[in-house]
């Protein structure tokens, strides 16, 4: 299920693209030479970067698993879904609870070209896609309401995409509007990248000047504010990706690649 198609925007293959680079870093095939070169240059300049995308992806796996298995979440709204790979939100949730219903939101033309072919669902559940800017929360909720029952708790998943919103107040306002609109018992699963060290920050700033969509690193002391008014699941609280409920499949922990947390709306 998807919204009615809109005219497709042209995909620019002359500049690197964050979703395609991320796809390359995580072993996907949906990237171009310009993305491979940008990704290789980033890792050449900052080798620890090769650890961070798998850490982020594995945090998503553990967060959705926790929400489905421990919290009983059966409805998910995933913002800024990016290019579908393996272990997408609907696959994780429906593996545990086949009746889970998942709505993805993205307005990237590249993502849109892949989503219909790659997003599937169990017979008992549903997977839908909304082509919309995640900042337009009224339209996002209107579209999500065609698949989800918004009178019942919904797990909002925002996995490492808020750094693409340059203005902090806009990023914080997006989260607040969504959570204010959802009923008590809903959840927020949010992660955000931060600079591991000064060299990491410098390499990211160079990448941001490449013509690609920039990503803004923010300190955990700032991004934890996105959980204001919510009940943070603690332990583990808001912590670095590998330290958030690690399991047997979690790799070696790093201290400051990115942070994540899950909170419940009272």
């Amino acid at each position: 299920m998807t919204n009615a198609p809109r005219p497709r925007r042209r995909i620019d293959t002359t500049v690197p693209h964050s979703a395609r680079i991320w796809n390359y870093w995580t072993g996907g095939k949906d990237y171009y030479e310009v993305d491979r070169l940008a990704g290789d240059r980033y890792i050449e300049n900052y080798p620890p970067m090769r650890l961070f995308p798998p850490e982020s992806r594995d945090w998503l796996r553990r967060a959705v698993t926790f929400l489905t298995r421990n919290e009983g979440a059966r409805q998910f709204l995933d913002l800024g879904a990016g290019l579908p790979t393996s272990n997408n939100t609907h696959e994780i949730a429906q593996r545990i609870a086949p009746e889970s219903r998942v709505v993805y939101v993205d307005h990237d033309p590249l993502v849109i070209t892949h989503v219909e072919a790659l997003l599937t669902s169990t017979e008992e559940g549903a997977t839908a896609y909304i082509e919309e800017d995640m900042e337009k929360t009224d339209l996002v909720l209107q579209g999500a309401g065609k698949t989800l029952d918004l009178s019942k708790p919904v797990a909002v998943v925002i996995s490492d995409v808020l750094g693409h919103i340059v203005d902090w107040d806009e990023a914080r306002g997006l989260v607040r509007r969504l959570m204010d609109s959802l009923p008590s018992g809903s959840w927020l699963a949010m992660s955000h990248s931060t600079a591991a060290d000064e060299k990491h920050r410098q390499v990211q700033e160079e990448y941001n000047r490449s013509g690609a969509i920039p990503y803004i690193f923010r300190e955990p002391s700032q991004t934890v504010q996105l959980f204001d008014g919510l009940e943070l699941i603690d332990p583990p609280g808001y912590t670095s990706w590998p330290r958030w409920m690690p399991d047997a499949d979690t790799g070696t922990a790093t201290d400051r690649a990115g942070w994540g947390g899950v909170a419940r709306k009272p």
Side-chain angles (χ1 to χ4, degrees), residues 57 76-82 84 87-92 102-106 115 119-120 126-132 140:
R57 194 72 186 175
F76 295 83
L77 179 60
D78 189 328
L79 301 184
N87 257 353
N88 300 290
T89 296
H90 73 285
E91 294 170 323
I92 302 165
V102 179
V103 174
Y104 293 96
V105 181
D106 211 306
V115 69
L119 295 184
T120 57
T127 304
Y129 185 86
I130 301 172
E131 181 185 346
E132 192 55 79
V140 166

Side-chain angles (χ1 to χ4, degrees), residues 188-253:
L188 172 64
M190 188 281 301
S191 74
H192 200 297
S193 287
T194 188
D197 50 41
E198 187 55 33
K199 178 62 175 177
H200 190 196
R201 187 183 305 279
Q202 292 171 2
V203 173
Q204 181 64 34
E205 289 174 353
E206 178 185 345
Y207 169 82
N208 288 348
R209 293 192 295 268
S210 70
I213 299 172
Y215 187 101
I216 306 302
F217 287 149
R218 295 185 173 106
E219 291 298 309
S221 59
Q222 181 179 39
T223 52
V224 71
Q225 298 170 26
L226 296 168
F227 295 105
D228 285 352
L230 307 175
E231 298 173 346
L232 196 61
I233 304 297
D234 191 9
Y238 187 53
T239 187
S240 63
W241 289 325
R243 300 185 191 280
W244 195 91
M245 294 192 180
D247 58 21
D249 296 322
T250 305
T252 303

Side-chain angles (χ1 to χ4, degrees), residues 20 22-32 83-85 114:
R20 298 193 308 245
W22 199 262
N23 184 267
Y24 170 58
W25 280 338
T26 54
K29 299 179 180 179
D30 298 312
Y31 58 87
Y32 296 95
L83 284 168
T85 56
H114 291 79

Side-chain angles (χ1 to χ4, degrees), residues 2 17 34 56 93 102-104 157 167 176-177 188 191 213 234:
T2 60
H17 186 286
V34 67
S56 174
V102 179
V103 174
Y104 293 96
V157 178
D167 186 279
R176 176 58 56 200
R177 291 193 302 274
L188 172 64
S191 74
I213 299 172
D234 191 9

Side-chain angles (χ1 to χ4, degrees), residues 156 175-182 186-188 230 265:
V156 177
V175 175
R176 176 58 56 200
R177 291 193 302 274
L178 281 176
M179 298 311 298
D180 283 350
S181 300
L182 295 173
S186 292
W187 305 267
L188 172 64
L230 307 175
K265 180 176 179 178

Side-chain angles (χ1 to χ4, degrees), residues 7 14 21 32 58 86 90 96 112 129 149 249:
T14 65
I21 294 173
Y32 296 95
D58 197 52
S86 60
H90 73 285
I96 299 168
I112 294 162
Y129 185 86
D149 182 350
D249 296 322

